[in-house]
Amino acid sequence: MSGLLGVRLLLLWGCACLWLSSSASGALVISRHDEAIQERRGAARSLQKRSTNEVMVEVHSVTVDCTVTSRFAHTVMTSKAFNKANSSQEIFFEVELPKTAFITNFSMEIEGQVYVGEVKDKEKAKKQYEKAVSSGQTAGLVKASGRKMEKFSVSVNIAAESNVTFVLTYEELLQRKLGRYELLTRVKPKTLVQDFQIVTNIYEPQGISYVDAHATFLSNELLPLVEKTVTDRKAHISFSPTMEQQRKCPGCDGTLIDGDFIVSYDVKREKNLGDIQIVNGYFVHFFAPELPKLPKNVVFVIDISGSMSGRKMEQTREAMLAILQQIHEDDHFAIILFDSVIETWKDSLTKATKENITEAMDYIRRMHSRGTTNINDAVLTAVNMLVKDRQMERLPDRSADMIILLTDGMPNEGESNTGKIQENMRTAIGGNMSLYCLGFGNDVDYSFLDVMSKQNKGLARRIFEASDAAAQLQGFYDEVASPLLLEVDMHYPDNAMDSLTTSHFSYLFNGTEIVVAGHLMDNDLDNFLVEVVGQGLEEDFRVQGQVSAADWDVFYPDEEYIFGDFTERLWAYLTIQQLLDKSKSGTPDEKANTTAKALDMSLQYSFVTPLTSMVVTKPETEDSTSSPLIADKLTEEQRQQAEKMTYNYIPAQSYPRHYQPAPAYFVDGDPHFMIELPDRGDALCFNINNKPGTIFNLVRDSNSGILVNGEIIGDKKTPPDGKINTYFWRFGIVHQTLGVRLEVSTEDISLFQDGKWVKLLWSDAASIKGSNVDLLVTKDRSLTVTLRDSVKFVILLHKVWKKHPYHRDYLGFYTLDSHLLSPGVHGLLGQFYHGINYEVAHLHPGKVPEKPDATMYVKGQELNVTRYTKDFSLEVFACKMNFKCVVAVFVLSQCESSK
């Protein structure tokens, strides 16, 4: 192996962890070029002293104006800012909005000129997208943010002493869950604002039963500022603190406004027929009667494969114990545990008596993780159990049959073809029961679960791998725990309307609501008879009545101008959502037809959906011509993929829960190196670009005899942006003193010890304890290497969708207990194990507002650097570590690569 020694130029990049609350559904952030200065701590304070403290961008106003009309929410977020500097400045506008919402408008007003976004067919916008990417501009304005949100962001260069006004509008139909509607807005202005205001107006002709408003950031002083006025059919909520009231403390520039503003409410329900609203030729029917609960028959199918070990298994056990205690005594239930083997608690469903619940809880307490994942046979076992019990008349006639599947990985035992599994489930279930799929963590094929659920009268839900995973599981069960009606049909006169949304529903659950909308062929309501039928507890449910439209002019005599075409837009929103769901299943022709209809309606109503893009053209500046930006709508699969690329996980189950890790040193990604410097409250990050096949020396400790090399691999082919990404795909670890050799690739793991080779597969959940080295393999996730009386390494396997056109599976390498290596350790990671001396000074605005530039002095070199923050959350040993990073063009004298 020939070596290339000497100096290598590395681009250091970095990120400060900003762990966002996942409970929010909307957000507003106004950032400026100096915001990084305002939040510096520790060693970074010296940078602030050497830079200007004058705020050159003044935020005049931040306004959130929301109007909810019969559950349809129309939100407008507006911000006005002024550039006080005597030179141009780049101002950054950022909003987090619910992932269920559709952006409908975005505009910027600069020096009297208005720039408006235009919604286009995504394919037609593709050329502009590719042009923006190839020129190095930001092309995607929308990114995933947390569980429920997506982030819209744009920046614009503003001339000296000029104003800019940003306006973003989005719309959504609020869904009733657990007996209430919830409107969440995240606000994070990051600075004091002269005019800050949140206003919500709710109009519900049915009548409002209650309204609650609160915020996560409200102190005792701010609480009285939330004004709430509620009449029979209208609610007005406002929050408008002055600049002094926004301050964290007297004389401080920091703001208290940082978090979620939440409005929840419900409406009065007096008629079993429900409520119908008719405006401008479109109607919407809301149906949520108060009825006795139906018994249910539920089979819990729980994945106990190796990847569920540790914290996941603990959380699943915790959730199941809580759920079992809530099962109603009239319900029947069963438990199936599966890995490569299918294990049933009992051969049939059991009534939820106290004795049976106690026995089931003892069974759950004893479950533990083991082999591979056989989803097909596990779910078929549940189906057959329900079918057999129905045939044997062991279950009540009027009861709901459902299967709840919890899995965290891909099917890799038995039938592994996901399309075939979906076909098997559809054939076996035959529309006679519902299948709910819960995907735990980021390694599941969510699209597979989503389609399979929708094909079988159910739905899929992602369970995020976090400290509240047990609460997420229990929360989902609460939503489906109380069915009220089965096979609900909403009937309307055929000759009175067209363009009806879905009108058949397999279930109506307590605390939810059925919504149907359509277009009236005329406004003659004399023969508009509505009928609702379904299967109730003791007999068939049937209610009918003549429609009498609410008189909006009477209910709201001074505000009729507000409502306009809300029923039509509600109908369009609901129709598009349902078409997008239908486009995921069916024949190719059916998929094509529903996709085409959804696209046409998205364009007609200017909704940014997964089929459309909003093209925003930024104004020309002295330095550049006008540049197009593209705002897209993310699918759940795209969100999941983005999270996989953003977050790196080291499995907590391999270590004691309260273990406090030493500083982290790792490489993971493209490849991205991360060096934590806890004594400085900082971190260094860098990226290496080289040809695929290059072998890099990561760790070299001659005193202990440890050597670690890594080889990079490139994308399958050149992506549209022309940039080939590289990743580590193979690592070699040698301990010459102990006689240990280990080679780890994305395909397998080979260990040489005591004169022989041992080979392991990533699909195994295995543990090897040797005289000089211990290996622990968590199936398809991680390998922990513990060298005797020495350092510990963790290698993560990142699996990419096999059919991905460009990317491949890759590995991440993490060093733990690095203090056990000698002071003479070298290599790309090794040189940092015992610290590094550097100084960063002369902070000044950079090309991007949130990334100020500075100068770094290190190893006798004077380098240009960039410091900025980025969401980069690393879960290590169940502890979250947050980093600030410095980005630099940095010369390393100890780097070595060889081919």
Side-chain angles (χ1 to χ4, degrees), residues 536-547:
L537 175 60
E538 297 179 351
E539 58 184 6
D540 287 347
F541 175 88
R542 185 180 299 272
V543 61
Q544 61 181 14
Q546 184 76 26
V547 169

Side-chain angles (χ1 to χ4, degrees), residues 620-690:
E620 295 185 11
T621 65
E622 296 179 0
D623 302 325
S624 65
T625 59
S626 60
S627 55
L629 303 175
I630 307 297
D632 285 330
K633 181 71 179 177
L634 301 176
T635 64
E636 196 63 37
E637 293 76 15
Q638 290 170 329
R639 292 173 62 89
Q640 183 185 21
Q641 186 62 32
E643 289 162 12
K644 286 182 180 180
M645 299 301 290
T646 302
Y647 302 109
N648 299 284
Y649 295 100
I650 294 181
Q653 65 269 16
S654 302
Y655 309 96
R657 186 180 303 178
H658 302 295
Y659 181 83
Q660 293 299 317
Y665 307 90
F666 64 87
V667 57
D668 207 336
D670 182 46
H672 299 309
F673 288 73
M674 179 73 140
I675 313 299
E676 184 195 6
L677 303 171
D679 57 328
R680 300 287 297 267
D682 220 332
L684 297 175
C685 309
F686 59 90
N687 196 26
I688 299 178
N689 296 313
N690 214 317

Side-chain angles (χ1 to χ4, degrees), residues 473-514:
L473 290 168
Q474 190 175 346
F476 169 80
Y477 177 78
D478 290 342
E479 292 179 32
V480 299
S482 302
L484 303 181
L485 289 175
L486 308 178
E487 306 303 336
V488 184
D489 284 296
M490 318 285 284
H491 296 302
Y492 309 92
D494 293 336
N495 59 353
M497 68 186 60
D498 58 11
S499 304
L500 195 67
T501 61
T502 298
S503 59
H504 174 81
F505 303 86
S506 300
Y507 293 102
L508 171 65
F509 293 103
N510 187 38
T512 65
E513 181 175 63
I514 285 175

Side-chain angles (χ1 to χ4, degrees), residues 319-340:
M320 281 301 302
L321 291 174
I323 288 170
L324 287 170
Q325 294 183 72
Q326 296 176 17
I327 295 181
H328 195 272
E329 60 184 1
D330 291 333
D331 294 342
H332 288 71
F333 72 102
I335 301 170
I336 296 175
L337 307 181
F338 74 95
D339 54 349
S340 56

Side-chain angles (χ1 to χ4, degrees), residues 436-499:
Y436 298 95
C437 297
L438 306 181
F440 201 146
N442 240 336
D443 294 329
V444 296
D445 184 342
Y446 180 78
S447 178
F448 156 60
L449 298 179
D450 186 36
V451 171
M452 188 164 66
S453 295
K454 287 184 170 66
Q455 289 174 339
N456 295 286
K457 298 165 47 173
L459 56 86
R461 181 73 57 83
R462 291 181 63 195
I463 302 299
F464 293 84
E465 194 172 349
S467 59
D468 68 338
Q472 295 176 58
L473 290 168
Q474 190 175 346
F476 169 80
Y477 177 78
D478 290 342
E479 292 179 32
V480 299
S482 302
L484 303 181
L485 289 175
L486 308 178
E487 306 303 336
V488 184
D489 284 296
M490 318 285 284
H491 296 302
Y492 309 92
D494 293 336
N495 59 353
M497 68 186 60
D498 58 11
S499 304

